[in-house]
Amino acid sequence: MKRILVVEDESAIAFGLQLDLKNEGYDVEIASNGESALRHAQKEAYDLILLDVMLPRKDGYEVCRDLRRVGLKTPIIMLTAKTHEAEKVLGLETGADDYVTKPFSPRELRARIKAALRRTAGDDVPAYRFGDAEVDFKRCELRRAGKPVDLTALEFKLLAAFVTDRVVDNHVVTLRKKIEPDPSKPRYIISVRGMGYRFDG
Ligand code: CA
């Protein structure tokens, strides 16, 4: 079941969205201000975030910018009452994937949600496994023995950086076997200590 975080301070709209999306088969949680949205989004794994722009404490643009800054890749659809083109552009520049202008039709919103979820499903990165651990890049989640481990967004980013380096190392090993005359003494893909690799063609 796909999980959606709805960030909206007007409870009538929030509950309306929750009801509608639950009927569509989504698991929906609500955050009613910007700070609580940040906490929720960094602690739990959501498949999508519906983010209202006008929020108490931190507005939707700030929340979106903060989430992208800590590396969260979850698709974000901004809900904006403002129809000016500049506002829409600002929404997208802060890292939002899409925007929907209020008042929106539930049907249009559902279509946008489906489209955003489809887009992320396309760039699936396989999970990386070591020991009893599994790094799920898509959900920004670490699981050990199948159970999610509580990591902050920054910890996850750091772990992902180490892990993706390891993935590169593994590919370099196999690539060397394919292109190097003597893979044990590489002459094309040269390791540079503390840096990574250099290609000497
Ligand atoms: Ca609002």
Side-chain angles (χ1 to χ4, degrees):
M1 191 188 270
K2 299 278 186 196
R3 300 183 74 199
I4 297 180
L5 177 65
V6 170
V7 188
E8 168 64 271
D9 58 313
E10 284 155 82
S11 51
I13 298 179
F15 290 125
L17 280 170
Q18 189 177 39
L19 196 66
D20 191 45
L21 295 173
K22 275 191 168 167
N23 282 338
E24 288 292 300
Y26 299 111
D27 184 16
V28 182
E29 279 173 45
I30 296 175
S32 57
N33 67 61
E35 280 167 14
S36 131
L38 282 178
R39 275 198 306 276
H40 270 79
Q42 293 183 76
K43 201 161 162 274
E44 310 270 334
Y46 295 99
D47 296 289
L48 185 131
I49 299 172
L50 279 184
L51 181 57
D52 188 34
V53 169
M54 303 300 279
L55 292 170
R57 296 197 207 168
K58 246 177 203 286
D59 71 26
Y61 298 131
E62 287 177 89
V63 172
C64 187
R65 201 178 289 127
D66 287 356
L67 289 175
R68 292 302 187 230
R69 198 173 284 153
V70 297
L72 196 89
K73 299 205 168 52
T74 311
I76 296 177
I77 298 178
M78 309 279 289
L79 302 177
T80 169
K82 297 169 178 161
T83 49
H84 292 111
E85 214 49 44
E87 298 288 343
K88 293 171 184 171
V89 169
L90 181 59
L92 297 176
E93 275 177 357
T94 55
D97 298 83
D98 201 358
Y99 60 87
V100 173
T101 311
K102 282 178 173 178
F104 49 81
S105 83
R107 182 189 287 186
E108 189 201 349
L109 184 62
R110 289 197 295 265
R112 300 290 192 92
I113 289 173
K114 277 199 187 122
L117 288 172
R118 251 199 322 271
R119 278 197 297 276
T120 44
D123 47 48
D124 242 348
V125 182
Y128 181 77
R129 291 182 183 82
F130 59 97
D132 68 348
E134 188 181 48
V135 183
D136 185 334
F137 295 100
K138 200 178 149 225
R139 296 181 73 99
C140 291
E141 192 175 87
L142 171 71
R143 287 187 292 271
R144 294 197 57 192
K147 293 204 181 71
V149 178
D150 199 14
L151 290 187
T152 65
L154 195 60
E155 285 166 348
F156 183 84
K157 216 177 159 188
L158 191 58
L159 176 67
F162 286 131
V163 163
T164 41
D165 274 358
R166 286 284 307 277
V167 173
V168 170
D169 288 346
N170 291 341
H171 286 299
V172 166
V173 170
T174 55
L175 192 56
R176 273 178 176 156
K177 282 185 189 148
K178 290 174 188 170
I179 68 166
E180 295 284 355
D182 178 359
S184 67
K185 296 190 190 76
R187 54 165 288 201
Y188 295 120
I189 304 176
I190 313 295
S191 303
V192 183
R193 241 181 117 179
M195 291 296 287
Y197 301 97
R198 184 185 73 228
F199 187 82
D200 279 355

